[in-house]
Amino acid sequence: MISCCLRKYYQFLMKMVCTVCILTATIGTCEPASNRCTSSSISSCNDCLYRGPECGWCFQEDFLVGTALHERCDLVSNLIKKGCISDFIESPLVKVVVNATSTSSQVTPRDVSLHLRPGSEVNFILEVHQLERYPVDMYYLVDVSASMQESLDKLKSVGFSLLQKMEEFSSDFRLGFGSFVDKPVSPYINVHPPKIANPCSDYDIQCRPAHGYIHVLSLTENITEFTRVVQQQRISGNMDTPEGGFDAMFQTAVCQSHISWRKEAKHLLLVMTDQPSHLALDSKLAGIVVPHDGNCHLVNNTYSEAANMEHPTIGQLAEKLLENSIYSIFAIEGQQYTWYEDLIPLLPGTVVGKLESKASNLKELVVDAYKKLLSEVELQVESLIKGVSVNVTAICPEGSTFPGLNKCRNVKPNEKVLFNIKVGMQECHGLGDEAYIFLKPFGFNETTKVRIQSQCSCRCGSPAAHAPGRCLDEVTPQDCENCKCNHMEKTKDDQLLRDCQADQMQPVCSGRGLCLCGKCLCDQSSLGRIYGEYCEMDGFSCPYYQGLLCGGHGQCISGKCECSSGWEGENCNCSVSTETCLTPDSQICSGRGKCVCGKCQCEDLRSSGQLCELCPTCESSCETYWKCVQCHLFNDFSETKTTQCNRTCSPMVHYVNQIFDSESENFKNCLYPTKEKCHHKFQMVPIFGGKQIRIFRYPECITEQSYFPTFILFFILTVVIGVMAIGILKCIVMRENHVKGESPVEAYSLSTKKDYFPTANEKTITYRRDRPGEMHIHIHKMPLHDI
């Protein structure tokens, strides 16, 4: 059942990837938005955008006239509430745009554009499809030092059998060949002239000169040519134990045209050796100090810089193998298996196999390694950018998820692996307008390009405008050169002053600003902002709650608190939500009170507690609904008047003509007593997480006379049963006493009869009081030797 649900979930995700072109961005923030967007240190539109993805800047000219610049930055909803038109709000959207026109058979999507702002995060799904059969390019890189003679002989005959085995997995298989030994310089080889020409001269064997790397055969489908080339190979020799394997692997990876790697094929590099490889700093022993430049240096198919450049670092080698989608298979003979096994975490897409004597298991080793490599799908992130984080979560075919892990194992052919990619931007430094990140499944020839478009600068233009507008964040003094207020010209001066008055009875600029050229420049106050055409409004004359203006849940506008969504009250301290008043069974205040400002006010005087859940004197839950039943009883069970009882009845109420007396876990029977010595039955039934009350229309009354016959009957039965029990008990006691009294008399009378003779069934016992005779006992002593 679980696997079926996981499979449905997985199929849903795959459909979502194929059909969705624009995904909704997810914005993450920890700090309250009101604190981030309304800081007094904000001095420009760009600074406002840096505060967070939820902040916006109003560039409307008549918005909050006379206030400080930072008042133009706020939440978009608050800016609109303050009077800013939405077309004049600069707040770039955070979104994901997927280019659906770029198709692919293995990696989807191939092209993604992310519009990010500082502090924002977005998510999208990347799908990797593992095909059943791939073209395969396998390049043999063989250590031809003297110790590999037997393995080289085995390789000469393995070509055809390996081709036949690989046909089960690929219909297009090609092979290539190259050899390596070590750097041809001292102290790695003997530089004596005869030893350079024949390193094996001491053993009367003709060997080839030592070499760093020789590319012998490009990838080809001609197995006969491959076999012929391998059979021509001869061993060589060197002085030290490590070989120059990393030099040869690096040239194989970067010399694409020489090796003839195909873009659409799986690239396998089979390295056969019995010794570890030299590392980067080892070449300093030979006086080689030039770091490897990362380029191809094959001249006449021979590595020309073997004696001039250091060995590549493991990081350089891993980068080139990943860049060219090359899987590495190490076939290790001898005791160096552990050394290469430690390289697996450092070289992506690497498998290490132990080569048996004379390479007898080479064919099986290659096939098993290829199957293992294809069963793993690993995603690599390239070109990371400062200030941008990328988090990968693998969703494997069976439905399991691994947060922070970028790999799935045991993937079968034709199965798909999903990766949830979360990209977040922390800062804009050094990004420019666009930057790129590449997502590359290792071993695949397809890559997803992620274009990051940073929204770090303001345009302050309408949606239809193509050119940026004014953001009104320039700090400039008031310009009054064209409007000189000449006090000698009374008429003109009086007119300018009247333009700064709301009416003739009000002071100029409400007494809180300076009139310059008929416009009010409001004063700056440490208490808050003063704004408005006549400086008549401020942001600090509103009530406070717990030291916060408007309780920290609203804006002070014209001396009144404009509460944010979900809050109410004069100082915005009351939460509209009733979630804090709900009990686990979704009752408001346990059905005994009402929720006021997010807290329960218990209406039942017997109850207490944060949710009115404590009620020691409440004998049963039935009494909780007595007021509800009473309300319906007073309204004569009229269907038209049920709405009048809504205040006392939170559950649904129905009137019924019959109630079953038996109780179960699903319903409970209750009684409501009345003054007429009657009671009404009602039943509580749980439904949809709440309760439903069913009230019996007809009362049940019990009169006083009905109790007396019942009492008399029980009294008589009790007396009769008690008398009978006493008589029976007395008879039992007397009978037991009578039996115990007769037994001694009867025994005595039988013993005194003279004519009494025992029968055959009786036993006679005679007791004598005479002195018993003497008894002589003789004990014979046993000799010691018989013991």
Side-chain angles (χ1 to χ4, degrees):
M1 183 68 181
I2 296 176
S3 60
C4 179
C5 295
L6 291 175
R7 193 176 297 109
K8 291 181 179 179
Y9 169 71
Y10 177 78
Q11 293 174 354
F12 168 75
L13 287 177
M14 291 191 296
K15 292 180 181 179
M16 180 183 65
V17 173
C18 298
T19 57
V20 175
C21 294
I22 299 179
L23 303 179
T24 303
T26 302
I27 300 174
T29 179
C30 298
E31 188 179 358
S34 58
N35 293 342
R36 300 206 300 180
C37 301
T38 58
S39 173
S40 59
S41 62
I42 298 174
S43 59
S44 65
C45 179
N46 290 348
D47 192 13
C48 179
L49 296 188
Y50 292 160
R51 293 289 168 170
E54 68 280 0
C55 300
W57 178 270
C58 179
F59 57 93
Q60 183 177 324
E61 291 193 15
D62 57 350
F63 177 72
L64 299 182
V65 178
T67 59
L69 285 176
H70 67 84
E71 300 295 340
R72 292 183 174 272
C73 183
D74 205 338
L75 294 174
V76 174
S77 58
N78 289 341
L79 291 175
I80 295 175
K81 189 183 298 184
K82 292 177 183 178
C84 185
I85 302 174
S86 58
D87 290 341
F88 292 92
I89 296 177
E90 180 73 10
S91 181
L93 293 178
V94 177
K95 60 182 179 180
V96 178
V97 180
V98 177
N99 185 3
T101 60
S102 179
T103 59
S104 171
S105 60
Q106 299 179 75
V107 181
T108 305
R110 294 289 302 278
D111 190 5
V112 180
S113 295
L114 307 181
H115 299 257
L116 298 178
R117 290 175 56 181
S120 63
E121 287 184 348
V122 294
N123 293 271
F124 66 94
I125 298 295
L126 182 71
E127 176 190 298
V128 179
H129 182 198
Q130 187 73 280
L131 301 181
E132 185 174 4
R133 298 171 73 87
Y134 291 94
V136 176
D137 289 345
M138 177 178 288
Y139 190 84
Y140 280 81
L141 188 59
V142 181
D143 175 9
V144 293
S145 58
S147 58
M148 291 291 293
Q149 177 67 62
E150 293 181 351
S151 299
L152 185 61
D153 294 338
K154 177 64 177 179
L155 184 60
K156 296 176 181 179
S157 60
V158 79
F160 282 104
S161 59
L162 180 61
L163 174 63
Q164 293 175 354
K165 188 66 176 177
M166 289 298 294
E167 285 180 349
E168 299 178 9
F169 309 98
S170 175
S171 58
D172 189 359
F173 185 63
R174 301 199 310 172
L175 291 173
F177 186 85
S179 64
F180 69 93
V181 183
D182 209 339
K183 288 185 178 295
V185 294
S186 177
Y188 307 124
I189 67 170
N190 192 331
V191 294
H192 193 265
K195 291 291 185 179
I196 294 178
N198 182 12
C200 308
S201 58
D202 291 345
Y203 305 97
D204 296 329
I205 300 174
Q206 184 63 39
C207 294
R208 64 193 298 187
H211 54 276
Y213 164 63
I214 295 179
H215 169 55
V216 181
L217 178 67
S218 299
L219 294 164
T220 178
E221 298 176 352
N222 191 342
I223 303 300
T224 303
E225 178 66 15
F226 174 80
T227 305
R228 184 188 66 81
V229 168
V230 174
Q231 289 176 350
Q232 292 177 353
Q233 299 304 307
R234 293 181 298 158
I235 61 172
S236 182
N238 60 331
M239 295 282 291
D240 61 342
T241 298
E243 315 292 1
F246 286 176
D247 255 346
M249 290 179 65
F250 196 89
Q251 292 302 304
T252 304
V254 297
C255 299
Q256 295 281 305
S257 59
H258 295 78
I259 307 301
S260 300
W261 295 112
R262 292 178 295 177
K263 183 178 180 181
E264 70 277 7
K266 289 290 184 183
H267 304 159
L268 304 181
L269 177 59
L270 176 63
V271 182
M272 294 177 59
T273 184
D274 61 349
Q275 297 297 338
S277 176
H278 280 294
L279 301 177
L281 298 180
D282 291 352
S283 54
K284 296 186 183 297
L285 295 173
I288 302 174
V289 295
V290 178
H292 203 290
D293 61 2
N295 297 322
C296 176
H297 295 285
L298 287 185
V299 178
N300 296 326
N301 291 330
T302 301
Y303 179 35
S304 61
E305 297 296 325
N308 302 320
M309 286 188 179
E310 289 184 341
H311 295 280
T313 64
I314 294 179
Q316 285 179 311
L317 181 59
E319 179 184 357
K320 293 302 179 181
L321 292 175
L322 175 62
E323 180 181 329
N324 297 292
S325 305
I326 297 177
Y327 290 113
S328 301
I329 303 174
F330 288 102
I332 308 303
E333 182 179 349
Q335 301 178 355
Q336 301 300 329
Y337 176 83
T338 305
W339 192 91
Y340 283 94
E341 196 174 31
D342 293 338
L343 292 177
I344 293 179
L346 305 176
L347 296 177
T350 299
V351 175
V352 179
K354 186 173 293 186
L355 197 62
E356 296 180 0
S357 178
K358 299 182 181 181
S360 58
N361 65 328
L362 180 59
K363 179 179 64 175
E364 291 76 13
L365 188 151
V366 172
V367 173
D368 292 343
Y370 178 70
K371 291 165 61 178
K372 182 179 180 180
L373 290 171
L374 288 188
S375 67
E376 294 184 355
V377 177
E378 181 178 0
L379 187 68
Q380 299 288 335
V381 182
E382 301 179 4
S383 303
L384 289 176
I385 305 169
K386 180 182 177 181
V388 176
S389 62
V390 181
N391 185 271
V392 179
T393 298
I395 306 173
C396 298
E398 70 275 11
S400 58
T401 60
F402 301 95
L405 189 64
N406 61 340
K407 179 190 294 186
C408 283
R409 294 184 172 89
N410 301 321
V411 180
K412 299 177 182 179
N414 290 325
E415 288 188 336
K416 296 181 179 180
V417 178
L418 302 182
F419 294 96
N420 181 32
I421 312 298
K422 180 186 290 185
V423 182
M425 175 183 288
Q426 289 77 40
E427 56 186 15
C428 293
H429 303 298
L431 283 179
D433 293 334
E434 288 188 358
Y436 294 91
I437 291 176
F438 298 94
L439 304 176
K440 183 177 180 63
F442 190 84
F444 288 74
N445 54 18
E446 297 178 357
T447 303
T448 296
K449 181 174 66 174
V450 181
R451 180 186 296 103
I452 297 179
Q453 298 181 348
S454 59
Q455 309 287 339
C456 296
S457 58
C458 296
R459 290 179 54 86
C460 297
S462 62
H466 299 285
R470 287 185 60 205
C471 293
L472 301 178
D473 54 2
E474 306 89 355
V475 181
T476 58
Q478 290 289 335
D479 185 6
C480 281
E481 286 190 20
N482 298 326
C483 178
K484 295 181 180 180
C485 304
N486 189 352
H487 295 284
M488 300 300 296
E489 299 179 6
K490 277 289 187 186
T491 305
K492 184 176 182 181
D493 186 47
D494 292 343
Q495 181 61 42
L496 292 174
L497 291 176
R498 281 197 296 271
D499 291 341
C500 294
Q501 291 177 289
D503 55 64
Q504 294 182 357
M505 302 301 296
Q506 296 293 332
V508 175
C509 295
S510 303
R512 301 192 292 182
L514 180 64
C515 182
L516 294 177
C517 306
K519 292 184 178 181
C520 287
L521 178 63
C522 301
D523 296 335
Q524 297 293 326
S525 173
S526 59
L527 299 177
R529 70 174 184 267
I530 300 175
Y531 61 99
E533 185 179 359
Y534 306 106
C535 301
E536 76 281 10
M537 295 185 289
D538 62 66
F540 52 85
S541 298
C542 294
Y544 284 71
Y545 178 73
Q546 294 183 349
L548 296 176
L549 184 68
C550 297
H553 304 124
Q555 295 289 327
C556 183
I557 300 176
S558 300
K560 294 184 180 179
C561 286
E562 294 289 340
C563 300
S564 303
S565 177
W567 296 89
E568 61 182 4
E570 183 182 2
N571 50 11
C572 301
N573 66 319
C574 288
S575 174
V576 178
S577 174
T578 59
E579 292 184 2
T580 56
C581 299
L582 293 178
T583 60
D585 58 352
S586 300
Q587 275 193 318
I588 296 178
C589 301
S590 305
R592 303 188 183 103
K594 58 183 179 180
C595 189
V596 179
C597 292
K599 295 182 180 180
C600 285
Q601 290 186 357
C602 303
E603 295 179 332
D604 191 338
L605 299 179
R606 298 173 299 172
S607 61
S608 62
Q610 186 177 2
L611 300 175
C612 304
E613 74 278 9
L614 303 177
C615 189
T617 59
C618 295
E619 296 179 358
S620 68
S621 58
C622 293
E623 297 182 12
T624 306
Y625 300 100
W626 278 6
K627 290 184 179 181
C628 179
V629 177
Q630 182 184 24
C631 178
H632 287 273
L633 181 63
F634 288 164
N635 287 285
D636 298 327
F637 300 115
S638 173
E639 297 285 352
T640 59
K641 298 181 180 180
T642 55
T643 55
Q644 300 179 5
C645 301
N646 288 340
R647 294 183 178 180
T648 56
C649 297
S650 56
M652 295 183 292
V653 177
H654 290 280
Y655 307 139
V656 295
N657 295 326
Q658 184 178 6
I659 289 183
F660 297 99
D661 292 333
S662 60
E663 290 192 8
S664 69
E665 296 181 356
N666 295 329
F667 57 86
K668 182 176 182 178
N669 293 328
C670 300
L671 296 176
Y672 170 71
T674 61
K675 295 181 181 179
E676 293 80 9
K677 298 181 180 180
C678 300
H679 61 260
H680 280 267
K681 287 185 177 181
F682 66 95
Q683 192 175 72
M684 295 185 297
V685 182
I687 181 172
F688 302 122
K691 282 190 172 71
Q692 182 190 69
I693 295 182
R694 299 174 181 174
I695 304 177
F696 186 52
R697 293 179 181 271
Y698 309 106
E700 294 182 355
C701 299
I702 301 176
T703 59
E704 293 182 358
Q705 290 78 6
S706 60
Y707 289 105
F708 184 75
T710 303
F711 172 76
I712 294 299
L713 178 62
F714 275 97
F715 178 77
I716 293 175
L717 287 176
T718 303
V719 172
V720 171
I721 293 173
V723 171
M724 292 177 62
I726 293 173
I728 294 172
L729 181 63
K730 184 176 181 182
C731 291
I732 293 173
V733 172
M734 293 178 63
R735 184 176 179 181
E736 289 182 353
N737 293 336
H738 180 71
V739 172
K740 292 180 180 179
E742 282 185 346
S743 296
V745 175
E746 291 179 355
Y748 176 78
S749 61
L750 289 174
S751 62
T752 54
K753 289 182 179 181
K754 297 182 177 180
D755 56 348
Y756 172 76
F757 296 95
T759 63
N761 295 330
E762 295 178 340
K763 182 179 180 179
T764 303
I765 301 175
T766 305
Y767 296 94
R768 297 182 62 183
R769 296 183 176 273
D770 297 338
R771 182 178 179 182
E774 295 183 358
M775 296 178 64
H776 300 279
I777 301 174
H778 300 279
I779 302 174
H780 299 279
K781 296 182 179 180
M782 184 178 296
L784 184 61
H785 61 81
D786 291 341
I787 297 176

